[in-house]
Amino acid sequence: MLILGIETATESVGVALGGRDGVLASVTIARGRRHGETLAPAVQFACRHAGVELGDLDAVAVDVGPGLFTGMRVGIATAKALAMALDIPVVPVTSLESLAESTRDHHGLVVPVVDARKGEVFWSMHRSDADGVTALGEPTIGSVDDLLAALGERGQHALCLGDGAYRHATALRDGADCVISGDRHPSADTLVVIGARRALREEWVTADLVAPLYLRRPDAEINWETREVRA
Amino acid sequence: MRLISSSAEETREIAAAVAGVCRSGDTVLLSGEMGAGKTVFAQGFGAALGVREAITSPTFTLVNSHPADGLTLHHADLYRLDRTSEIADLALAELAEFDGIVLIEWGEVTADDVPGHLAIHICPGDPDESEDRREFELSSTGERWVGRWDRLRERLSIFAEESC
């Protein structure tokens, strides 16, 4: 079981190769926002030094957000292209799931928080225990106050992580029973761990079904008053 | 702020004056019907920022990114889009974040998504008077432009519409 993990929902590019026994190779390029230029060479580099061929891959795991859109679309497009060309499935993973998974050794309520800008955050709630990490609800977008209300409602001590948690650390510590610790950004290594586990259970999709996670607002027709006047 | 341009050359001068007060992170929304002069404005704007390559309308490429002096000019055109998710896919706000200035043709439909933008509406003047005459209406939202507004007005004073 060989999984390629592609993480481009942050300013960095992350690529990892591995399977059930762990990560074989991992490459991170943190030279801000050069996803289009660096992702494909990073995949090639990781394969070469891990001694594997693209044809050996069983599945591609890719971060579908929420996160940096300009990066994410490069990773998603690349994952889809590889999966189609190699005729293998894709394991789509949200950045929130990936962050939650990175705290596996911590037991209790885990709340990954991703900065959505304009004062908003994406978050989801997870229970982490000896059996692993389990989602307790759907990913949500809202203000920091909305998050504080959700944490208050849950009424449990929480571990918050992710760039949104660090950005709004003071508000979170003052307004909720929580600690802020752990990773700021999801990693390609975690994608491989999640990808390998889900691939065993065939929890995967075909490339055409992979899409970025939209949380901000529903899709609608553009109100083209000006263009209609012309037409 | 209302301005009058009597030629494509003056439109480029207006664009250069606007570019002169723009800084990294800004978003400028251009509106006006087909042939109003949005692309001419974009050319003058880009030249003033130090873009050396040719600037053409990105109607089909959606976004063209041009290296300029110390930053990147992202020139977008929303004309061909029909759904808001297609605008979201372009992640225009992210482009501005990283040493970028974003100039959006047909940008009026995304105005609510970009707080603190500069909006420029171009409309053709009275065709009997002159075919090249254009009227410009400049407005801004948010705090981002408040401190620069007087400087912008001063730079554009020679184009100010007298009777308004």
Side-chain angles (χ1 to χ4, degrees):
Chain A
M1 175 72 68
L2 185 67
I3 308 290
L4 170 67
I6 295 179
E7 174 54 71
T8 57
T10 75
E11 293 197 7
S12 307
V13 162
V15 167
L17 283 165
R20 288 294 289 166
D21 300 327
V23 171
L24 285 174
S26 180
V27 180
T28 303
I29 296 148
R31 189 72 197 258
R33 303 204 190 184
R34 288 175 52 80
H35 304 88
E37 294 87 338
T38 49
L39 177 57
V43 171
Q44 201 177 24
F45 181 89
C47 286
R48 190 164 69 238
H49 292 281
V52 302
E53 306 266 337
L54 283 176
D56 300 332
L57 292 177
D58 293 294
V60 182
V62 63
D63 188 336
V64 293
L68 194 72
F69 222 89
T70 40
M72 211 155 66
R73 61 189 177 202
V74 175
I76 292 174
T78 305
K80 284 162 90 95
L82 282 172
M84 279 180 190
L86 300 168
D87 197 18
I88 54 173
V90 178
V91 181
V93 179
T94 71
S95 55
L96 298 166
E97 291 174 314
S98 179
L99 281 165
E101 179 76 22
S102 70
T103 65
R104 249 173 318 161
D105 299 334
H106 166 91
H107 288 178
L109 178 65
V110 174
V111 183
V113 185
V114 170
D115 188 11
R117 298 172 177 81
K118 299 180 190 170
E120 292 191 306
V121 286
F122 302 106
W123 77 84
S124 57
M125 302 215 178
H126 305 256
R127 185 183 61 237
S128 178
D129 57 29
D131 295 331
V133 180
T134 316
L136 298 172
E138 293 298 309
T140 309
I141 182 169
S143 65
V144 176
D145 284 342
D146 294 336
L147 170 57
L148 289 174
L151 287 169
E153 210 170 296
R154 178 69 55 178
Q156 272 174 277
H157 178 73
L159 166 67
C160 296
L161 75 164
D163 61 354
Y166 284 94
R167 180 164 196 167
H168 300 287
T170 311
L172 288 177
R173 281 197 206 98
D174 290 351
D177 175 18
C178 69
V179 290
I180 291 147
S181 167
D183 292 347
R184 282 169 188 265
H185 298 294
S187 78
D189 291 21
T190 311
L191 289 179
V192 165
V193 172
I194 297 175
R197 192 173 60 228
R198 293 194 183 162
L200 265 190
R201 292 182 250 152
E202 297 192 10
E203 289 174 8
W204 52 34
V205 297
T206 51
D208 55 308
L209 294 177
V210 182
L213 180 68
Y214 281 109
L215 288 177
R216 202 178 282 277
R217 69 184 50 146
D219 187 20
E221 270 189 41
I222 297 174
N223 180 18
W224 267 124
E225 282 172 24
T226 39
R227 199 177 65 170
E228 300 316 328
V229 165
R230 184 202 60 84
Chain B
M1 189 187 319
R2 288 173 74 89
L3 311 168
I4 299 289
S5 160
S6 53
S7 65
E9 191 44 49
E10 286 193 6
T11 294
R12 286 196 192 89
E13 286 174 28
I14 290 172
V18 173
V21 299
C22 279
R23 55 177 185 239
S24 174
D26 283 340
T27 298
V28 179
L29 307 181
L30 270 182
S31 60
E33 62 190 63
M34 203 65 93
K38 296 186 296 298
T39 303
V40 171
F41 184 95
Q43 287 164 345
F45 189 84
L49 292 175
V51 174
R52 292 206 165 74
E53 57 203 25
I55 292 176
T56 54
S57 180
T59 307
F60 290 96
T61 50
L62 302 177
V63 182
N64 288 342
S65 296
H66 302 284
D69 290 339
L71 51 81
T72 305
L73 171 64
H74 302 282
H75 180 203
D77 186 337
L78 307 183
Y79 180 74
R80 217 162 51 85
L81 302 184
D82 293 310
R83 303 200 64 83
T84 53
S85 61
E86 296 174 306
I87 300 180
D89 269 339
L90 297 179
L92 297 166
E94 282 178 21
L95 294 177
E97 274 175 35
F98 203 65
D99 285 338
I101 292 179
V102 183
L103 180 69
I104 311 173
E105 296 193 29
W106 299 92
E108 67 272 23
V109 293
T110 194
D112 292 345
D113 304 318
V114 191
H117 63 254
L118 174 68
I120 301 177
H121 182 70
I122 312 175
C123 64
D126 185 353
D128 293 339
E129 207 169 313
S130 157
E131 220 173 274
D132 297 325
R133 183 186 156 96
R134 295 289 187 275
E135 293 175 14
F136 283 73
E137 173 81 51
L138 274 64
S139 60
S140 66
T141 64
E143 297 292 302
R144 207 177 157 85
W145 287 88
V146 173
R148 287 179 275 174
W149 202 250
D150 286 344
R151 196 147 42 98
L152 185 61
R153 189 187 293 279
E154 198 176 305
R155 283 175 178 238
L156 291 167
S157 58
I158 55 165
F159 300 104
E161 189 184 42
E162 290 113 28
S163 61
C164 196

